[in-house]
Amino acid sequence: MPSIYKYRFDRRTLYWTLAYVVVFSLLGGGLYYLYEGGYLSAWFTSFIVALAALMALSIPRKIVVTDQTVEIRCLLDITEIRRDEIASVRRVDTSELKWIVPLFGGCGFFGYYGRFIDLQGFERVRLYASEWNHFVEIIDIYEDRLYVSCQEAEKLVRELTPPHGNRQPTGEV
């Protein structure tokens, strides 16, 4: 029987989403009136609609944990990690993520998802969160880091911790 952890949007995420929609609408409307429906306003509108559609399809919906895999299901994409490839799982405080900036992904538009870069260690990480708290870090045997957020973070950590405990990282000096 799979365990399902659903994503819930917090106020911060909803405010950021509203801010994005307002800014994009104002820019699109301003370009339309300045250039009277010319190529620039058409290009901008097409670009923003495509960008918003791409971001909307990448919104994380839920985490599904089965006996063999952990799946992060988005509207269009599924990120899958085999349970036997998980090296460690732990809760992460939001202060540890203050140096993470988006590389290719959404930041505030219905959540935080995609590829990010950790400026402290200059490492690429993946992030799938609908709120900026309740983070869980999952490190696989290839030392790839994945951050997810859910209301039941402690339960997720207990369920995903490998049977013999977390492995020690081998690549750190």
Side-chain angles (χ1 to χ4, degrees), residues 2-173:
S3 301
I4 297 175
Y5 299 89
K6 294 194 176 207
Y7 283 99
R8 290 178 179 82
F9 298 120
D10 63 350
R11 282 189 192 165
R12 178 181 174 175
T13 302
L14 295 175
Y15 290 148
W16 271 109
T17 302
L18 181 63
Y20 276 113
V21 170
V22 167
V23 167
F24 289 155
S25 298
L26 288 174
L27 284 172
L31 283 173
Y32 179 77
Y33 287 114
L34 283 174
Y35 294 100
E36 298 178 11
Y39 288 110
L40 186 60
S41 61
W43 178 86
F44 178 78
T45 303
S46 299
F47 177 74
I48 292 302
V49 167
L51 183 65
L54 179 64
M55 291 173 74
L57 292 174
S58 300
I59 297 170
R61 292 181 332 166
K62 60 185 165 185
I63 302 167
V64 178
V65 179
T66 65
D67 291 338
Q68 291 83 23
T69 62
V70 177
E71 299 173 351
I72 295 95
R73 295 186 182 177
C74 301
L75 291 177
L76 185 66
D77 184 33
I78 297 176
T79 299
E80 184 177 279
I81 303 169
R82 293 178 42 93
R83 298 262 317 252
D84 58 354
E85 291 181 350
I86 294 176
S88 68
V89 180
R90 70 180 179 102
R91 280 289 308 264
V92 176
D93 189 49
T94 56
S95 64
E96 292 183 50
L97 300 176
K98 68 181 175 183
W99 294 103
I100 290 183
V101 294
L103 188 62
F104 185 74
C107 187
F109 188 76
F110 287 109
Y112 309 88
Y113 42 87
R115 303 268 180 192
F116 286 63
I117 188 163
D118 185 356
L119 294 177
Q120 279 187 318
F122 291 105
E123 296 178 276
R124 288 182 304 150
V125 298
R126 288 182 292 168
L127 183 70
Y128 295 98
S130 60
E131 56 186 345
W132 198 254
N133 54 13
H134 306 293
F135 283 105
V136 174
E137 178 188 59
I138 302 170
I139 301 176
D140 64 12
I141 59 175
Y142 310 108
E143 295 185 10
D144 292 330
R145 293 186 337 193
L146 172 74
Y147 293 98
V148 297
S149 74
C150 66
Q151 292 286 326
E152 302 160 328
E154 289 296 333
K155 182 179 173 189
L156 180 64
V157 169
R158 281 193 309 273
E159 187 170 2
L160 292 182
T161 301
H164 302 293
N166 289 331
R167 299 179 193 167
Q168 295 298 323
T170 58
E172 293 185 3
V173 179

